[in-house]
């Protein structure tokens, strides 16, 4: 391969991208607004959950329970009647509806075990799962304090010393911001390279390249380095100005080492994008193929769910995906401050997977070029 041809072909791809405002908007949005939204959209704890209370007891204890639900975890409780409870939940007005029965305080003081009904709108999964536990703790704590005439913390026989490593505040925003950057690197690299190839086929410029003194390997390599450079630069910008600057997320390890790993990952994913661009015949087909490939890669690579909790067959199969090793090294470097002595197996795996994908994509690209010729 002639490096001058590769360089010039890459410059051509960069100029073509600069003339595509929608692709430029996608790149900018993916590494700025999308990262910020992913870090801030999901609250760290239960936040402003709507709750309604049916107080059929009208006692000091029931009034104490009503007053125990307050912002920011809950909105101010709405006092309703039993007849309104089902209708309000059917209309989606309340996530929780608490029914305090008659004679509730009398039964508590008499040593009986009265039942409080809690209706939960389970279609709101995040609030339903977390909020039901919150409500049980609140109700139990208030009833015990009322019955014992004092409020005291339960003394456990063992003192558990909790130390949260790498994220002492247990801030979900820290995780959401970094993992979003990692996911955007994979998505954008596949989209940009595959779209660049399909765009040339649709515009007829691929035929112009065939009559020039360039080889398929040079054409493909020019697309890979140029699109990888765009994604790598956007990733570095996002880490510096959005993650560390705007969101104040601490980065423990070396950003340069992470970008080196990202470059190896981009070598694999851009090659994958070229392969998918040769399979798809149009942008709609490429979009459908992207959904079938990208979503399983992101969901099963350990970024959203730990790989150890997945079936063993899935764990072994996903070792062939570059995202598995990229997420592992990215989390090790950015979260835990790991060095090359720790993440070198992931670097080696990415290099091997990238070489295989590049070879397969080049063979497919040559076949496509020959058919067009």
């Amino acid at each position: 391969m002639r490096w001058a041809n590769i360089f010039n072909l890459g410059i051509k791809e960069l100029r073509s991208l600069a003339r595509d405002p929608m692709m430029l908007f996608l790149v900018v949005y993916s590494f700025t607004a999308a990262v910020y939204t992913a870090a801030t959209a999901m609250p760290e704890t239960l936040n402003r959950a709507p709750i309604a209370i049916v107080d059929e007891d009208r006692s000091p204890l029931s009034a104490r329970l009503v007053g125990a639900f307050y912002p920011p975890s809950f909105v101010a409780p709405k006092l309703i009647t039993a007849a309104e409870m089902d209708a309000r939940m059917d209309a989606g007005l309340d996530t929780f509806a608490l029914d305090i029965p008659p004679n509730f305080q009398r039964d508590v003081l008499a040593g009986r075990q009265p039942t409080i009904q809690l209706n939960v709108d389970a279609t709101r999964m995040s609030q339903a799962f977390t909020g039901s536990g919150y409500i049980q703790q609140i109700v139990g704590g208030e009833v015990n304090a009322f019955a014992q005439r004092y409020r005291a913390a339960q003394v456990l026989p063992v003192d558990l010393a909790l130390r949260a490593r790498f994220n002492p505040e247990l801030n979900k925003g820290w995780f959401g911001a970094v993992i979003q950057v990692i996911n955007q690197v994979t998505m954008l690299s596949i989209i940009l390279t595959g779209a660049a190839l399909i765009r040339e086929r649709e515009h007829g410029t691929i035929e112009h390249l065939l009559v020039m003194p360039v080889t398929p390997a040079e054409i493909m390599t020019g697309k890979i380095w140029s699109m990888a450079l765009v994604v790598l630069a956007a990733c570095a910008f996002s880490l510096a100005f959005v993650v560390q600057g705007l969101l104040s997320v601490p980065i423990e390890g070396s950003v340069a080492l992470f970008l080196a790993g990202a470059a190896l990952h981009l070598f694999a994913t851009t090659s994958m994008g070229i392969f998918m661009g040769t399979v798809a015949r149009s942008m709609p087909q490429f979009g459908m193929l992207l959904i079938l490939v990208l979503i399983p890669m992101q969901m099963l690579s350990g970024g959203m769910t730990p790989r150890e909790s997945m079936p063993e067959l899935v764990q072994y199969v996903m070792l062939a995906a570059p995202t598995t090793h990229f997420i592992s090294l990215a989390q090790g470097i950015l979260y835990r401050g790991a060095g090359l002595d720790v993440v070198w197996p992931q670097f080696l795996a990415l290099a091997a997977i990238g070489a295989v994908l590049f070879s397969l994509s080049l063979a497919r690209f040559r076949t496509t070029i020959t058919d067009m010729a």
Side-chain angles (χ1 to χ4, degrees):
M1 293 192 295
R2 287 160 292 186
W3 297 109
N5 287 347
I6 294 174
F7 176 78
N8 291 325
L9 288 169
I11 296 298
K12 178 190 74 68
E13 294 297 334
L14 293 176
R15 290 174 176 171
S16 178
L17 178 63
R19 292 192 295 268
D20 192 336
M22 291 305 299
M23 281 296 179
L24 289 177
F25 173 78
L26 178 62
V27 173
V28 173
Y29 173 81
S30 298
F31 284 101
T32 54
V35 174
Y36 182 83
T37 302
T40 58
M42 292 184 61
E44 301 169 22
T45 56
L46 189 68
N47 185 54
R48 296 187 58 79
I51 181 172
I53 297 180
V54 180
D55 186 1
E56 299 182 90
D57 191 30
R58 302 290 180 177
S59 65
L61 178 55
S62 64
R64 183 170 182 162
L65 290 178
V66 173
F69 299 97
Y70 46 82
S73 296
F74 299 91
V75 298
K78 180 76 173 179
L79 293 176
I80 60 174
T81 64
E84 297 175 301
M85 183 169 57
D86 289 340
R88 287 179 59 87
M89 186 158 285
D90 290 342
L93 299 178
D94 302 318
T95 303
F96 306 100
L98 190 67
D99 188 358
I100 303 175
N103 304 320
F104 176 70
Q105 176 178 307
R106 185 186 65 184
D107 291 341
V108 169
L109 294 178
R112 304 186 186 96
Q113 292 184 337
T115 301
I116 294 181
Q117 181 182 11
L118 175 63
N119 295 324
V120 182
D121 182 358
T123 60
R124 303 177 180 181
M125 278 300 300
S126 60
Q127 286 190 339
F129 179 77
T130 306
S132 58
Y134 270 50
I135 294 174
Q136 292 180 43
Q137 292 180 2
I138 291 172
V139 171
E142 294 297 331
V143 171
N144 289 335
F146 181 84
Q148 297 173 1
R149 300 295 194 274
Y150 69 93
R151 187 186 301 272
Q154 183 180 4
V155 179
L156 299 177
V158 177
D159 185 17
L160 178 63
L162 176 62
R163 293 182 176 89
R165 297 288 304 275
F166 315 120
N167 187 358
E169 298 180 2
L170 299 179
N171 190 332
K172 290 184 178 180
W174 292 13
F175 172 80
V178 174
I179 201 65
Q180 186 70 8
V181 171
I182 295 172
N183 289 337
Q184 299 299 353
V185 168
T186 301
M187 182 186 73
L188 264 296
S189 58
I190 296 176
I191 289 178
L192 291 180
T193 48
L197 180 59
I198 294 176
R199 182 170 54 242
E200 288 207 6
R201 183 188 298 127
E202 291 178 345
H203 294 172
T205 54
I206 192 70
E207 287 83 357
H208 297 168
L209 293 176
L210 295 178
V211 298
M212 297 176 63
V214 292
T215 64
E218 292 171 352
I219 298 173
M220 179 174 160
T221 307
K223 295 181 182 298
I224 286 177
W225 81 256
S226 57
M227 297 299 102
L229 179 63
V230 171
V231 176
L232 198 63
C235 174
F237 174 85
S238 182
L239 282 176
F241 294 98
V242 179
V243 176
Q244 292 180 288
L246 187 59
L247 296 171
S248 300
V249 177
I251 299 299
E252 296 295 334
S254 170
V255 175
L257 182 62
F258 166 73
L259 293 178
L264 275 178
H265 177 64
L266 288 169
F267 174 55
T269 52
T270 50
S271 300
M272 185 184 301
I274 293 291
F275 185 88
M276 293 168 59
T278 59
V279 173
R281 294 301 177 182
S282 63
M283 285 300 294
Q285 289 185 7
F286 179 73
M288 295 297 296
L289 185 60
L290 179 68
I291 294 174
L292 294 176
V293 173
L294 187 62
I295 293 179
M297 284 177 58
Q298 292 186 345
M299 294 186 63
L300 303 177
S301 296
M304 298 181 181
T305 305
R307 295 184 62 246
E308 293 77 11
S309 63
M310 302 178 188
E312 290 189 4
L313 178 61
V314 175
Q315 295 183 38
Y316 291 132
V317 169
M318 290 307 296
L319 289 176
T323 48
T324 300
H325 308 282
F326 179 55
I327 288 175
S328 178
L329 76 85
Q331 291 181 340
I333 296 172
L334 300 180
Y335 291 149
R336 299 185 288 273
L340 185 59
D341 58 324
V342 176
V343 297
W344 68 265
Q346 286 77 30
F347 273 75
L348 189 61
L350 282 175
I353 294 173
V356 172
L357 289 175
F358 182 86
S359 301
L360 292 175
S361 300
L362 181 58
R364 175 70 186 181
F365 186 62
R366 281 174 172 162
T367 302
T368 303
I369 291 293
T370 303
D371 293 341
M372 294 181 64

